[in-house]
Amino acid sequence: MTQRTAGIHHITAFVRSAQDNVDFYAGVLGLRLVKKTVNFDAPEVYHLYFGNEGGSPGTAITFFPFEHGRKGLIGGGQVGWSTFAVPAGALPFWEERLTKLGIAYELKTRFGETFLRFRDRDELQLELVEREQGEPSKWAFGGVPADKAIKGIGGAVLYSLAPSETMKTLEGLLGFERVGTEDGLVRYRSYGDLGNIVEVREEAVEAGHGGAGTVHHIAWRAKNDEDHRVWRERAIVHGLQPTPFTDRQYFNAIYFREAGGILFEIATDPPGFARDEPAEALGERLMLPEWFEPKRAEIERGLPPIEVRVLDADRA
Ligand code: ZN
């Protein structure tokens, strides 16, 4: 049987202020901060993970807040739009919420679905779409009740420098199935119930550059380490150059840049975010992998304090 990914595991982006990032993704969007750790390749910077109550695979969006980072340019070789799934009937709630919070948005329809498009504080491009599929989130925070809450990642719109190559990787390696084309977007689907709809701009997009407000990479789900090993071999056969297996504490990862310029990761579903702290206390303490523990005091001194807090507008 052909190996297929269930869909998106997580999406990771660059932003500037860590507190702004928490205020937007927890405060405005009502996601749970499920892990507060550091960028393992640059421990002077946080790595903040947001998701549903447990940060299940397919629900996580993660950030590297470089406080003085330069602004990026969204363009080819990146994820153009990151899409969150909300429950059926929840979009009017979100329109009202964004209006109340002074966040500009627009409504766009494609493939028979309405997308609520807006930007975060670093102008990262986001959209919300109603989906029947996907477990409802059990997390409620501030002004967002659980029955309206984001369930997880709905999908992504990929901006490729070489769309036909990107599509070959989606179909031939990752096992996505082509659904159709509309408005210059080719839609693909996989079998997961979250993170399973991916669209590719049919025309090549002029190259962007990394920096605040852009996506760094998109990760696809592997079932376990054995499945991961097969993915790595298949990526090589597919002509890609995956990194060695990398321990990211909450999953194992391999990375490769696909031919359309987008950095892809394949990440294992296990062990997940409850690996190093209790499920009920996720995201509360700064968690470090054991190799950074000896430097904890120094690392903590270099990080700005952050707080998950209810927005003033939601207190009234
Ligand atoms: Zn990642």
Side-chain angles (χ1 to χ4, degrees):
M1 202 186 131
T2 320
Q3 194 186 27
R4 300 179 70 194
T5 180
I8 299 167
H9 184 286
H10 65 269
I11 292 175
T12 296
F14 292 117
V15 290
R16 278 176 291 213
S17 157
Q19 184 61 55
D20 271 0
N21 186 239
V22 172
D23 285 340
F24 195 86
Y25 288 87
V28 174
L29 296 183
L31 293 168
R32 185 177 190 185
L33 176 65
V34 291
K35 193 61 64 183
K36 179 162 65 172
T37 183
V38 293
N39 180 332
F40 294 173
D41 303 317
E44 67 280 9
V45 173
Y46 279 119
H47 192 177
L48 303 177
Y49 291 75
F50 299 87
N52 69 354
E53 70 279 1
S56 342
T59 75
I61 185 158
T62 95
F63 297 92
F64 299 131
F66 284 87
E67 302 279 328
H68 304 290
R70 66 164 186 174
K71 181 97 184 69
L73 176 70
I74 296 172
Q78 294 174 7
V79 171
W81 291 86
S82 303
T83 312
F84 293 109
V86 296
L91 269 200
F93 163 84
W94 284 99
E95 274 192 73
E96 205 175 294
R97 178 159 180 77
L98 295 187
T99 302
K100 168 179 146 180
L101 299 175
I103 297 165
Y105 66 86
E106 53 181 356
L107 294 167
K108 287 264 182 190
T109 301
R110 61 179 194 267
F111 297 99
E113 296 183 312
T114 302
F115 292 79
L116 182 62
R117 291 190 145 184
F118 56 102
R119 289 165 175 79
D120 79 357
R121 293 177 180 183
D122 290 283
E123 294 176 79
L124 187 72
Q125 298 187 142
L126 304 170
E127 47 184 23
L128 298 180
V129 65
E130 295 182 0
R131 294 267 162 83
E132 297 279 355
Q133 274 190 309
E135 280 273 298
S137 177
K138 295 178 192 70
W139 191 250
F141 183 75
V144 184
D147 67 333
K148 302 288 191 281
I150 289 172
K151 298 180 192 183
I153 304 281
V157 179
L158 307 185
Y159 285 179
S160 175
L161 299 168
S164 61
E165 294 299 318
T166 302
M167 292 190 252
K168 260 187 236 167
T169 298
L170 283 176
E171 285 183 64
L173 176 66
L174 295 171
F176 277 84
E177 119 193 47
R178 191 176 176 125
V179 178
T181 303
E182 196 178 299
D183 266 350
L185 290 176
V186 184
R187 175 174 274 212
Y188 287 89
R189 180 168 49 210
S190 193
Y191 67 87
D193 56 9
L194 282 172
N196 57 327
I197 303 282
V198 175
E199 289 155 346
V200 183
R201 275 262 285 262
E202 221 177 354
E203 298 293 325
V205 179
E206 202 177 321
H209 61 76
T214 68
V215 169
H216 179 251
H217 66 266
I218 182 167
W220 311 100
R221 293 174 62 182
K223 294 187 185 88
N224 49 42
D225 288 340
E226 171 58 21
D227 192 41
H228 209 210
R229 194 182 55 73
V230 180
W231 277 117
R232 190 170 184 282
E233 282 168 13
R234 290 190 51 228
I236 293 167
V237 171
H238 201 79
L240 297 158
Q241 295 178 303
T243 61
F245 297 106
T246 307
D247 178 2
R248 295 305 189 198
Q249 283 294 85
Y250 313 108
F251 45 85
N252 285 316
I254 57 171
Y255 304 84
F256 54 86
R257 201 168 288 283
E258 55 84 38
I262 307 168
L263 185 59
F264 280 7
E265 172 183 346
I266 297 179
T268 54
D269 282 359
F273 296 106
R275 173 190 177 156
D276 57 357
E277 57 186 341
E280 56 281 6
L282 292 179
E284 291 175 11
R285 282 189 66 224
L286 178 73
M287 301 310 298
L288 296 175
E290 60 186 13
W291 62 90
F292 284 144
E293 276 299 342
K295 297 176 80 179
R296 174 176 280 272
E298 187 188 327
I299 288 171
E300 283 182 341
R301 266 200 307 277
L303 293 168
I306 53 172
E307 180 194 1
V308 177
R309 56 192 185 187
V310 174
L311 301 177
D312 288 344
D314 287 328
R315 283 184 214 274

